[in-house]
Amino acid sequence: MTTPLIHPGWAQPATNMVTGYSLEMTAKDIGSLRAAAPAIRPTAPVAVTFLPNEDPAARIAAVKAVRDLGFEPMPHFSARRIGSAGAFEDYLAAAVAEAGVKRCFVIAGDPSTPEGPFTDSMALIASGAFERHGIAAIGVGGHPEGHPNMSEEQGFAILEAKCAEIVARGMAPLVVTQFAFDAGRVLSWLAALRARGTDAPVRIGIPGPAGIKTLLRFAARCGVGASTAVLAKYGISVGKLFGSAGPDRLVDELDRGLGPEHGPVRLHFYPFGGLEKTVAWINGYDRAHRSRAPERTV
């Protein structure tokens, strides 16, 4: 499957692993985004999550803040949390009209019973709403460390079907993975994805620096599993839950392991410890590696 690139920057060599990064935020993080904005790279994609019990107006305000601060907004759409087709269209139309949104991210969402007519993210893609509103790119989820409700084979098959449907509708697919602790599993998953013929750009989910308890809490909530050995390799000791951990080892291992066979890859940061702390870590990594690392083509 041949797919267009999401952004011209993907076609340029990356100086190091954090070149071309993207970020994630919630509707409550506008203040944090404003505080971190001077240190965030211009035009960086910033995803705005779709959490329960949020006012849609708050999500639109966050999406608009991303655009107003000079970044590229990518609002989430959680299929099972959308109450009606009208609510879906209204939110999408407002995001386009008020923030010039060109890319969106779709997920099924956590509820076992849909709150409206959409049972999964494919239902949103197949509705035709995104292309009607001029959306150019659609992000879909990938799960290198597995999904609690499906086998690896099912995960790949569903991901491939979504990418094919997005391409058929004249848009560009982008895969954004759940955050992971295990670089080896991420690399194996990427190699398998490419071997099956999916060449869509992939953003690997990276947990930003945060307290160890915070990281483990989000991991449990998101279904990310890791053995004691993997956590220790990442820098987390289950016997010492105080203190913080950053993604240095994970990113370094990805840097060493990624090759042309893994296709176009960038990083997507989940700032569990806060946007300012995550952006500071990214810029520190960039400074430390920019002068000595050879150019990458991932």
Side-chain angles (χ1 to χ4, degrees):
M1 179 176 63
T2 301
T3 59
L5 294 175
I6 297 299
H7 188 278
W10 282 79
Q12 303 302 318
T15 304
N16 58 59
M17 278 302 297
V18 299
T19 299
Y21 67 86
S22 58
L23 297 165
E24 188 150 319
M25 65 175 284
T26 73
K28 297 179 180 179
D29 292 332
I30 295 176
S32 296
L33 180 68
R34 289 197 178 108
I40 300 174
R41 71 177 184 88
T43 74
V46 179
V48 178
T49 59
F50 194 110
L51 299 179
N53 303 317
E54 283 180 337
D55 179 10
R59 297 190 190 110
I60 291 298
V63 172
K64 189 173 185 301
V66 172
R67 175 65 74 198
D68 290 346
L69 288 166
F71 310 119
E72 187 66 33
M74 186 174 185
H76 285 203
F77 290 79
S78 181
R80 294 176 191 155
R81 294 194 187 281
I82 297 174
S84 67
F88 171 40
E89 291 268 358
D90 288 348
Y91 180 48
L92 178 57
V96 171
E98 298 189 34
V101 165
K102 290 294 183 183
R103 64 184 79 183
C104 300
F105 181 79
V106 294
I107 56 172
D110 294 331
S112 56
T113 301
E115 297 173 12
F118 303 108
T119 57
D120 54 29
S121 53
M122 179 64 96
L124 295 177
I125 297 167
S127 72
F130 291 114
E131 62 263 38
R132 284 199 306 272
H133 287 277
I135 300 302
I138 299 290
V140 294
H143 299 83
E145 293 193 357
H147 190 286
N149 298 322
M150 65 180 76
S151 68
E152 183 176 72
E153 174 60 32
Q154 290 172 323
F156 278 132
I158 291 170
L159 181 57
E160 290 161 6
K162 291 176 187 176
C163 289
E165 183 71 13
I166 292 165
V167 171
R169 292 178 175 276
M171 296 175 290
L174 168 70
V175 180
V176 183
T177 79
Q178 182 57 272
F179 75 91
F181 292 122
D182 190 336
R185 290 190 67 176
V186 171
L187 292 168
S188 296
W189 181 88
L190 271 172
L193 180 73
R194 301 312 187 190
R196 295 174 65 103
T198 296
D199 59 0
V202 173
R203 287 194 175 276
I204 301 170
I206 302 292
I212 291 173
K213 286 187 176 180
T214 297
L215 288 172
L216 295 181
R217 184 174 71 252
F218 276 102
R221 184 184 303 173
C222 298
V224 174
S227 68
T228 300
V230 168
L231 291 174
K233 189 176 181 181
Y234 181 82
I236 293 175
S237 170
V238 294
K240 298 179 180 179
L241 298 182
F242 297 101
S244 61
D248 305 69
R249 297 182 190 179
L250 173 62
V251 175
D252 284 344
E253 286 190 33
L254 290 172
D255 186 33
R256 289 191 294 269
L258 280 169
E261 70 275 16
H262 295 107
V265 173
R266 292 287 188 269
L267 302 185
H268 177 73
F269 285 89
Y270 295 88
F272 300 131
L275 278 165
E276 289 180 88
K277 184 182 292 187
T278 294
V279 172
W281 182 92
I282 293 169
N283 289 337
Y285 188 96
D286 183 50
R287 286 191 299 270
H289 291 76
R290 181 174 290 274
S291 61
R292 66 174 185 265
E295 285 191 340
R296 303 185 59 90
T297 57
V298 296

